[in-house]
Amino acid sequence: MLSFGLAVILSIVIYFVWLKRIYRQYRQCVAQNGTGYIVSLIQKASIAKDPDGICSHGKHREDGLPWPHADGQDQVSENLRVLFVTAHPDDECMFFAPAIIHFVKLNVSVYLLCLSAGNYYNQGEIRKKELLKSCGVLGIPAAHLTVIDCSELPDHPRVQWDTDLVSTLILKQVEASAINLVLTFDKSGVSGHVNHITLYRSLRYLSCAGKLPEGCCALALETVNIFRKYVSIFELPISWFSASDFIAIIWKKEYGQAKRAMCCHDSQMLWFRQVYLLFSRYMFINTFRLISEERQR
């Protein structure tokens, strides 16, 4: 019995050391490439696409390192601007914190467009203030935050938002802020929320219809199965060795930052969100796939 217990402890220690090694490798790649990979991703967004509108090229080189540096790229754009499109206040930290923190640390201009005030329980004004505080913790300037408080886009899990309206609002923000990269949910919306899914459909329409400005591409946050979703940082090897177009990982210090951002949403901190903070891999890891710019027929 004792030997079994020691074997379990040793296995956990070895696994944790493996996680740390992956994270160090990730940090080395970030230090080496900076925003270079994002620039090359934007340049390559119109190639290697499959019929479902998802780019098929992976993030790994033959030597196992992610994010190949673009050949012949003499310099990285200093004016890279990324826009996160969310449906409700708290989406930014519940689902996108690793990617937001990643870009902020690279001194990229980060913008957030939130398509509702989160007024499902008539707390819209409170939640807008909470969102502003959360953005401050994550490093998004107040001037880069836009909240749409529109009766046609109610915060409701059973109300389908109008795709044309959402597309128009996203495109307006993209053009006004000269955005290079737009990030939102994928077709499953991570949690299955219909508002999340509408954001994907709207952004995919803009991308596939060729309405996004030249030099702008879109990424969708991958939805993972329930097991992967709730094993926290221990899910890292699966995400690291799976094909994706962009990955963002945070560790202990940055996780504390993401947690503080979530705690700014005091009105939403029910028991199940406390559990989410502890066990969700989205608090540590984001993986994205390119949304195709292939024109719809």
Side-chain angles (χ1 to χ4, degrees), residues 179-229:
I179 298 298
N180 307 109
L181 182 66
V182 190
L183 304 95
T184 194
F185 298 95
D186 70 359
K187 62 183 179 181
S188 298
V190 178
S191 63
H193 199 298
V194 294
N195 298 162
H196 296 180
I197 295 170
T198 301
L199 299 186
Y200 167 77
R201 290 174 177 169
S202 300
L203 185 55
R204 188 177 187 278
Y205 163 72
L206 291 174
S207 181
C208 293
K211 294 183 178 294
L212 289 178
E214 184 178 354
C216 179
C217 70
L219 289 172
L221 178 67
E222 288 188 298
T223 297
V224 298
N225 61 52
I226 194 71
F227 173 76
R228 290 179 61 189
K229 185 176 181 179

Side-chain angles (χ1 to χ4, degrees), residues 147 194 272 289:
V147 180
V194 294
F272 56 88
R289 298 294 300 273

Side-chain angles (χ1 to χ4, degrees), residues 12-27 97-99 101-102 105 231-237 240 248-260 277 281-286:
I12 293 173
V13 171
I14 292 173
Y15 193 77
F16 191 77
V17 169
W18 188 30
L19 296 180
K20 288 285 286 185
R21 182 177 180 182
I22 292 175
Y23 180 70
R24 284 197 297 269
Q25 188 176 11
Y26 164 78
R27 293 306 306 165
I101 292 171
H102 169 87
K105 290 184 71 174
V231 291
S232 190
I233 190 65
F234 296 103
E235 192 269 351
L236 177 56
W240 183 250
I249 307 167
I250 58 177
W251 204 253
K252 185 177 180 181
K253 181 180 179 181
E254 294 91 349
Y255 167 70
Q257 182 181 357
K259 186 176 180 180
R260 290 195 304 275
L277 284 176
R281 59 86 80 168
Y282 289 97
M283 296 299 296
F284 293 91
I285 307 160
N286 284 163

Side-chain angles (χ1 to χ4, degrees), residues 31 34 115 157 279:
L115 270 294
F279 295 105

Side-chain angles (χ1 to χ4, degrees), residues 86 88-95 97 100 112 114 116-118 123-138 145 147 257-270 273-274 277 283:
T86 61
H88 320 101
D90 76 14
D91 287 350
E92 79 290 343
C93 47
M94 284 187 69
F95 305 110
I100 292 174
L112 175 64
C114 184
S116 82
Q123 297 176 310
E125 292 304 314
I126 293 173
R127 297 194 68 184
K128 283 191 285 186
K129 293 177 181 177
E130 292 173 343
L131 176 58
L132 184 60
K133 292 179 182 178
S134 173
C135 286
V137 172
L138 292 173
L145 169 63
V147 180
Q257 182 181 357
K259 186 176 180 180
R260 290 195 304 275
M262 184 61 206
C263 289
C264 290
H265 296 279
D266 187 61
S267 66
Q268 305 304 301
M269 290 306 291
L270 304 175
R273 285 193 173 87
Q274 297 283 359
L277 284 176
M283 296 299 296

